[in-house]
Amino acid sequence: MRISAVVLAAGLGTRMKSNIPKVLHKILGKPMIQYIIDTIKSIKPEKLIVVAGKNIKELKEAVSWQNDIIIFVKQTVPKGTGDAALKALPQLKGFTGTVLIVNGDTPLITKSTILNFLALHKKRKNQVSVLSFESKEPSSYGRILRDEKGRVISIVEQRDASEEQKKIKEVNSGIYAIENNALNLLKKIPLNTSKGEYYLTDIIGIAKSKGFKTDAICIGLEEELTGVNTREELNLAANTMRYRIIKKFLESGVTFIDFGSTFISPSAQIGHGTTIYPNVIIEGFTTIGEGCTIYPNVRIVDSEIKDKAIIKDSTLIESSIIKSNAIIGPFAHIRPGSVICENAKIGNFVEVKKSIIGQGTKASHLSYLGDAKIGNDVNIGAGTITCNYDGKNKYITTIEDNVFIGSDTQLVAPVKIGKGAFVGAGSTITVNVPPDSLALSRVEQKNIEGWALKRRLKEKRNSKK
Ligand code: UD1
Ligand code: CA
């Protein structure tokens, strides 16, 4: 079966009350239209055309980077879904096969529903089909009108429907299959004067009246076919999608302590045997390995967490790699470009930025490690700071294997601490430390015996006067 697809995304989205195009509103961090595009891509269409409006530039920027096969066409003035579909026609010249037209605001539709719909369209030898479903709340949808024998006649929009027609529960999903020899019918759609738009829905009545084999295929589930027009509908769709993703992971062996408070990106992966505590947010293209534990209030963005890593409470990890058996947190911040190697430990109130932390290395408390290359089995004492920035440029701190950095140390970069060296607590290190040596930069301690006793006695005498 030869398929090409058209996604309609040029509407104003007025009901969203937003400055961003409706189809770019996100569900679990992914633009609504990207869901449709991914689903359509999975059925491998010959062409994938997106009809965009005045926000075509934003739309291209948001989705092009992962969708090189898309052809964008512009509908300069949003004159309705019928007019939008017409704009794709020049791109379909010479195409022989079935054209799938889909509203861009139906993000929950699944591949299997689309394939079922196309298979029935083909099997019944239809030339024009619309995918319909029974809605409990049909108010915003076009109603499917059928004759006494149940044959489809046309679609009527809510605003044009009679009281009797408004009671019909079978509605239009906004998904159509049209054979290439029926595409010219798009040109026959008249202006609907009540709204001043060309309705794509009219193609059903037109096709029928001109003797084309036309049908409404009622196989859809409302949960999948909800059109998102308002922010409330966006939230409801997000809830459905959220549960769908979590269900997939539950089935593959991931434990959720409270899935109702967990948000997982549709692009994330999680290995089996991993446990996710409440209030965890996993965003973007994050992968989490097997047997990991992610404790409460953790957010992980575009990162890779390898097997058996432990992420303790209230930690933020961004665009970084955490290798196997590493332990991060509680209250740690791993900023972009960091790699925390196997068995390393990053503890309370430690911030790591664009740094490599070697195997078995520990930075357990209160530190800032930025632009640092830290070797294996290094101990970073509490309160260590890499001074990586002079107000203009950033510099690198290198700490080789088996180094011990005493607490409250400042390492003024660029600086290198050689293998096996010791840095005494409270030091400010400004020059390189050779391997296996001790570096100390603090003022030598002086004890004055009896000083405190003398002071107290003096104070006592003064108070008696
Ligand atoms: C549409 C259908 C309705 C159906 C419902 C399903 C029409 C006239 N009505 O109504 O029968 O039940 O979808 O969700 O088609 N768009 C354009 N250009 C335009 C107008 C819209 O590209 O000029 C795009 C929008 O960006 C959107 C899609 O077409 O992605 C649907 O438009 P929308 O205004 O949401 O239609 P509905 O009123 O929901
Ligand atoms: Ca809609």
Side-chain angles (χ1 to χ4, degrees), residues 51-62:
V51 185
K54 64 173 183 176
N55 298 311
I56 189 163
K57 196 167 157 271
E58 272 172 280
L59 213 65
K60 274 188 183 169
E61 272 167 20

Side-chain angles (χ1 to χ4, degrees), residues 41-58:
K41 268 164 67 176
S42 73
I43 65 167
K44 301 197 169 41
E46 282 176 33
K47 284 188 172 179
L48 171 47
I49 302 158
V50 171
V51 185
K54 64 173 183 176
N55 298 311
I56 189 163
K57 196 167 157 271
E58 272 172 280

Side-chain angles (χ1 to χ4, degrees), residues 15 22 103 105 227-229:
R15 288 166 277 182
K22 177 170 78 171
N103 282 356
D105 63 354
V228 175
N229 301 308

Side-chain angles (χ1 to χ4, degrees), residues 332-458:
H333 185 184
I334 311 296
R335 290 171 52 198
S338 300
V339 180
I340 316 294
C341 294
E342 291 84 353
N343 300 300
K345 183 171 179 249
I346 302 295
N348 314 257
F349 306 104
V350 174
E351 175 180 346
V352 180
K353 189 218 86 175
K354 209 176 174 186
S355 293
I356 300 171
I357 311 294
Q359 293 177 17
T361 288
K362 293 186 175 70
S364 299
H365 342 260
L366 301 156
S367 289
Y368 171 64
L369 305 171
D371 303 303
K373 288 184 184 152
I374 304 181
N376 299 337
D377 298 310
V378 169
N379 186 82
I380 305 283
T384 296
I385 293 172
T386 53
C387 310
N388 59 332
Y389 186 48
D390 64 3
K392 279 200 181 116
N393 297 305
K394 302 269 167 72
Y395 302 95
I396 290 177
T397 301
T398 306
I399 304 176
E400 295 185 338
D401 296 349
N402 299 106
V403 163
F404 181 95
I405 308 282
S407 297
D408 193 24
T409 292
Q410 298 97 54
L411 301 156
V412 182
V415 74
K416 180 172 169 182
I417 317 295
K419 210 169 170 183
F422 254 71
V423 173
S427 293
T428 301
I429 302 298
T430 53
V431 293
N432 292 350
V433 177
D436 296 318
S437 42
L438 169 68
L440 268 182
S441 78
R442 60 192 185 224
V443 176
E444 209 174 319
Q445 185 174 330
K446 189 161 87 176
N447 290 341
I448 306 173
E449 289 194 22
W451 183 91
L453 180 63
K454 271 189 213 158
R455 191 172 105 143
R456 274 200 302 279
L457 292 172
K458 197 175 166 190

Side-chain angles (χ1 to χ4, degrees), residues 273-291:
T274 285
T275 299
I276 312 262
Y277 276 75
N279 293 327
V280 167
I281 303 178
I282 295 173
E283 296 184 350
F285 291 84
T286 293
T287 52
I288 298 179
E290 298 178 2

